[in-house]
Amino acid sequence: MVSSMRRDREVGRLLLLLLFLAAWETGSCQIHYSVPEEAKHGTFVGRIAQDLGLELEELVPRLFRVASKSRGNLLEVNLQNGILFVNSRIDREELCGRSAECSLHLEVVVERPLQVFHVEVDVKDINDNPPIFPMAVKTIRFHESRLLDSRFPLEGATDADIGVNALLSYKLSSSEFFSLDVQTSDELSQSLSLVLRKSLDREETAAINLLLVATDGGKPELTGTVQLLIKVLDVNDNEPTFDQSVYKVQLLENIANGTLVIKLNSSDADDGSNSEIVYSFSSDAPSTIKTKFKIDSSTGEIRTKGRLDYEETKSYEIQVLAYDNGTPSMTGHCKISVKIVDINDNTPEVSITSLSLPIREDAALGTVIALIMVSDRDSGANGQVTCILSPHVPFKLVSTFKNYYSLVLDSTLDRESVSDYAVVVTARDGGSPSLSATASVSVEVADVNDNAPTFAQPEYTVFVKENNPPGCHIFTVSARDLDAQENALVSYSLVERRVGERALSSYVSVHAESGKVFALQPLDHEELELLQFQVSARDAGVPPLGSNVTLQVFVLDQNDNAPALLPPGAGGGGGAVSQLVSRSVGAGHVVAKVRAVDADSGYNAWLSYELQAAAGGARSPFRVGLYTGEISTTRVLEEADEPRQRLLVLVKDHGEPVLAATATVLLSLVDNGQASKISSRLSKEATDPKLALVDVNVYLIIATCAVSSLLVLTLLLYTALRCSAPPTEGACAPGKRVLVCSSAVGSWSYSQQRRQRCALGRGRPRRTSWPSAPAYLKAHALQKKDNSLHNQNT
């Protein structure tokens, strides 16, 4: 039996839970509870955490809190068990007055993520207020001449409760003269009257004491009493009478002070002073009647006094007395029911709470940013409020419950375009004319790392003079990041690579913060004309973003290399040149050539040749080409010319400062026959290099033995040694003239070849190697053969 009852209870709980969930789905996440007023502290209201679907352990971490528009301390939530309980005394009459509906609206806010729930707690009325009469003792004057069934209106009791608890019933103590007549009009309004059931006789009964008891409909019943002291008056037996017992009037709440409400008109059947009437408010009229209305005692005009406010009081009931001037005076009664008509005189109110700011620029669409509540004290259409946002903002309003809205993200954000928004919420009611109110909120957009550092241009060209000091600043790179704070903090680094056989970092470095590029060692134009590399810029965001820029560093040449003379046989004469010249050559014949190169480039490598003047001021029969280095005769050689000519050729470049080198050319003037023999011998030596070397050794032995011999032997030895030197073209016989262009054989072509190798990153260019001895002799023999053929043709 017990288990069956337990199963029934479980099934009942399950059905209640299902009904509650269905109500949850259809109620737009609103929960209804109820609690009786005057409940004790700690009274259970509802399991709010369980009903909202929240776990108990997440209430504290998610900052679970309850907020109320008014009287926020009446209810509280125990975060340990999720139970909503009464925190302080709830007085329904103080909270809602005589309103039929009374409820507390709670906002339950849960953060991380933000969720908002709405809870409505109905405050149930209990019978805690007894009926109250305006006064404890009321004196009523009745003339003895009053007719049977005459009525005397009474002020009923009031009960602060509502509904059945405020439904009053009246009972009059037993009396042979009077009975109580209760008439119920609209709603809960009741009219009480004492009805005369038996004629009065002042001489027999001068006063009557009655007790009027009011009982409400609550359980347990509460009562209120008023003592009615009835004095029986004599003589004046006609009272003033009104044409209506109740007058109904409607007034706009904004009417001007002194506006006429109604003009009362009463009549008295008596004559003379007994028919003169004086009007006044009932002595037990509430103070609010006397502060809002005034009555002219002689004319019966009732006018407004002060400002009427529908939101303060929606209706008034005015009890008016009409006294005649008889003796004793008689009184007539009427009631004026004044209803206040609402006008649109209250602007909407907007409040913004629970801001989730700033919002990240990559926030998802639909993210809740703020909660907005609107209200209007007016009623009907005047109190219906609609909300709109300022245009051109990436947000929208979503209605959540009645006058509650959520400000949510409606489109994507970009902090680099707009970093903050001034969002204006406009609330407008439905009155005519409509009233509106605005509230603004500044929505700041938080930055995320979505922009890489960028350079002003993808490539920079830098010119640096060679031989720079180590560590000199050659350029500064700068990248701009549109993000903010650490996301815009840019650092620089080299993109490492190999330059020839060395690492790039051995040539240059970049400062991580300033972007300054430094040359770590002196740069050599002859070694490296172009250094091309990349610098990377990265921000400090997570994850970091970066970009690269290319630097082309051109090393500018300086005149730091003097001209270098080529050895004899490397395409022309050079160095210390010895040459035989036939005396029979004519003017302009090329007898030798000086050749030099310069490791520099441009003007620094443009060489010129000039012949230094001979000692003693004698005019030499030879000249040198300014740019070719060819030594040629200026006239026909004569017998008077010295047989041995020593020429000094100065080779200069065009740099600043000018660098130079000196070449010595020894020319031996011989007769034509002797020149042919020497040429024949040199031809054999060219075909047989060993023979040439043997002859040289013989000459050396003879020179050693005959060191103190005669001058003739010395001259012969000198002649033999001169003949053993490698001849040049046209040395022994007139040969074919060869014109050489300085730009083709000089240092410019050499410099261009080396530049190409450096630009391709092949490292240091190789220097031109000197020719070996056998190659030199072979070249000299070929040159001699060409000269012999030329002489035969001549």
Side-chain angles (χ1 to χ4, degrees), residues 60 88 101 106 248 257 322 349 471 526 534 596 612 630 691 706:
V60 175
S88 59
E101 296 180 359
L106 306 179
K248 295 184 177 181
N257 185 18
E349 297 178 359
E526 289 72 40
Q534 288 185 327
Q612 290 187 342
E630 293 179 342
L691 181 59

Side-chain angles (χ1 to χ4, degrees), residues 410-667:
D410 188 43
S411 59
T412 57
L413 300 175
D414 184 12
R415 190 205 64 84
E416 289 69 41
S417 299
V418 181
S419 60
D420 60 86
Y421 294 89
V423 180
V424 179
V425 180
T426 302
R428 188 175 299 276
D429 60 29
S432 181
S434 178
L435 299 178
S436 63
T438 60
S440 61
V441 57
S442 180
V443 180
E444 181 183 356
V445 182
D447 182 57
V448 297
N449 193 28
D450 57 348
N451 289 277
T454 56
F455 294 91
Q457 56 191 65
E459 185 176 287
Y460 292 94
T461 301
V462 183
F463 297 94
V464 180
K465 289 185 179 181
E466 65 173 333
N467 302 319
N468 57 281
C472 73
H473 173 226
I474 62 175
F475 192 69
T476 300
V477 294
S478 178
R480 181 169 176 256
D481 196 312
L482 297 178
D483 294 320
Q485 297 177 354
E486 67 273 1
N487 294 332
L489 188 61
V490 180
S491 60
Y492 304 91
S493 62
L494 286 177
V495 179
E496 189 62 73
R497 71 177 186 88
R498 304 292 296 179
V499 180
E501 298 180 354
R502 299 172 60 182
L504 174 65
S505 56
S506 64
Y507 286 95
V508 292
S509 67
V510 61
H511 192 273
E513 296 179 1
S514 65
K516 291 184 177 181
V517 181
F518 299 94
L520 300 180
Q521 63 181 10
L523 299 177
D524 188 0
H525 173 79
E526 289 72 40
E527 177 186 349
L528 188 66
E529 288 189 17
L530 172 62
L531 180 60
Q532 181 172 311
F533 59 92
Q534 288 185 327
V535 176
S536 174
R538 289 193 172 273
D539 58 30
V542 178
L545 301 177
S547 61
N548 296 341
V549 67
T550 301
L551 267 65
Q552 291 189 356
V553 180
F554 287 92
V555 183
L556 301 180
D557 182 56
Q558 287 185 323
N559 195 26
D560 57 346
N561 291 281
L565 299 172
L566 294 179
V577 179
S578 297
Q579 189 65 280
L580 296 177
V581 179
S582 176
R583 289 182 180 271
S584 61
V585 298
H589 183 77
V590 177
V591 299
K593 183 175 183 179
V594 176
R595 194 167 187 187
V597 294
D598 196 313
D600 295 320
S601 62
Y603 278 97
N604 296 330
W606 189 11
L607 303 181
S608 62
Y609 303 83
E610 64 180 50
L611 193 62
Q612 290 187 342
R619 182 183 180 190
S620 173
F622 302 96
R623 65 181 177 187
V624 65
L626 180 60
Y627 298 112
T628 63
E630 293 179 342
I631 299 175
S632 60
T633 56
T634 59
R635 56 179 173 80
V636 178
L637 298 178
E638 301 174 353
E639 293 295 334
D641 292 330
E642 291 291 335
R644 180 178 176 81
Q645 297 284 336
R646 182 183 178 87
L647 305 179
L648 294 178
V649 179
L650 183 63
V651 184
K652 299 189 296 182
D653 58 26
H654 285 72
E656 289 292 341
V658 176
L659 299 179
T662 303
T664 302
V665 180
L666 300 178
L667 299 179

